[in-house]
Amino acid sequence: MSVETKKPGTAMMFSGGMDSYLAFRLFSPEVLVFCAAGHRYEAREAKAVEALGLSGTVKVDRTLDLSSWEREDAIVPLRNLLFAAVGSRYADRVWLGSLAGEVNWDKTPEFYWTASSAISHCYRESYWCEGRLVTVESPTSGMTKAELLYRALAAGVTREEVGRTVSCYEPGGFCGCCSSCFKRAVATKLNGWLEEYASDPFGSHTAFLAGVKAVKGEYPERRCREILQALGTATGDGLLRK
């Protein structure tokens, strides 16, 4: 019986979204893993992977079927924990996408530490495993989406490339009404341009609620500042200021 050995390198869980693509371009992980888990926007993500020219690079993993777990709001409970476990089958270092100012508990430093500890515990030295130390983390957790985009553009990523990534979960994409569209619009606006949306992302109900929360300080300070800056410069240049 073979004994499982360490798996050097880094596996990044890749979705074809803006964040994972920019992280890939900036940090160059050895392996890109796309989890085809049966979620409703899987086809759109797979199309983005193809549009980005990465079909031959990304490893498609079909281990999980989470379609029955997906809520009406597209949230899949425990998704990042399960994705981290899948990533550990490819490398001892697993990257997930998260940004500064995230409000979801499975994108926090506490989550990364806990997931690393739990997965490493399961891979402790035993009759079938020589012992593996798995680290789950995010290379982008110290940056907001606008800051990540700023760094990627400075490193040579083009606006055209960014336009081929996916964010919106609506069937047509780029609806301009959802929170994903608004966060994307904030990032691009603060970096000097705005993509085409079915409706104005800064005139949506989502934008109004985000603005109210930012004024009240209900998001982390950097995110509040960026939201208010983007809303205040929605018709101006809106360049990101350091």
Side-chain angles (χ1 to χ4, degrees), residues 64 86 183 233:
L64 304 174
V86 169
K183 287 186 284 188
T233 60

Side-chain angles (χ1 to χ4, degrees), residues 81 108-121 134 136:
L81 179 61
T108 62
E110 294 81 3
F111 167 77
Y112 289 117
W113 182 89
T114 302
S116 299
S117 178
I119 294 174
S120 294
H121 177 79
V134 175
V136 183

Side-chain angles (χ1 to χ4, degrees), residues 176-178 182 200-212:
C177 298
C178 67
F182 177 69
D200 178 13
F202 293 108
S204 66
H205 184 62
T206 297
F208 173 77
L209 292 178
V212 170

Side-chain angles (χ1 to χ4, degrees), residues 44 47 165-176 181 196-198:
R44 294 201 62 239
K47 185 176 180 180
T165 65
V166 64
S167 293
C168 180
Y169 296 151
E170 294 301 316
F174 291 93
C175 69
C181 280
E196 292 186 11
Y197 294 86

Side-chain angles (χ1 to χ4, degrees), residues 99-104 107 143-147 178-180 182-184 186-187 190 206 209-211 213-215 217-231:
L99 298 166
E102 295 278 10
V103 297
N104 295 313
K107 295 182 178 181
M143 294 176 273
T144 65
K145 188 183 288 286
E147 290 167 346
C178 67
S179 61
S180 295
F182 177 69
K183 287 186 284 188
R184 183 181 179 114
V186 168
L190 294 184
T206 297
L209 292 178
K213 290 182 178 181
V215 169
E218 294 183 12
Y219 298 121
E221 190 272 335
R222 285 156 68 192
R223 186 174 176 187
C224 290
R225 184 175 67 247
E226 289 185 355
I227 288 172
L228 295 176
Q229 186 179 356
L231 288 172

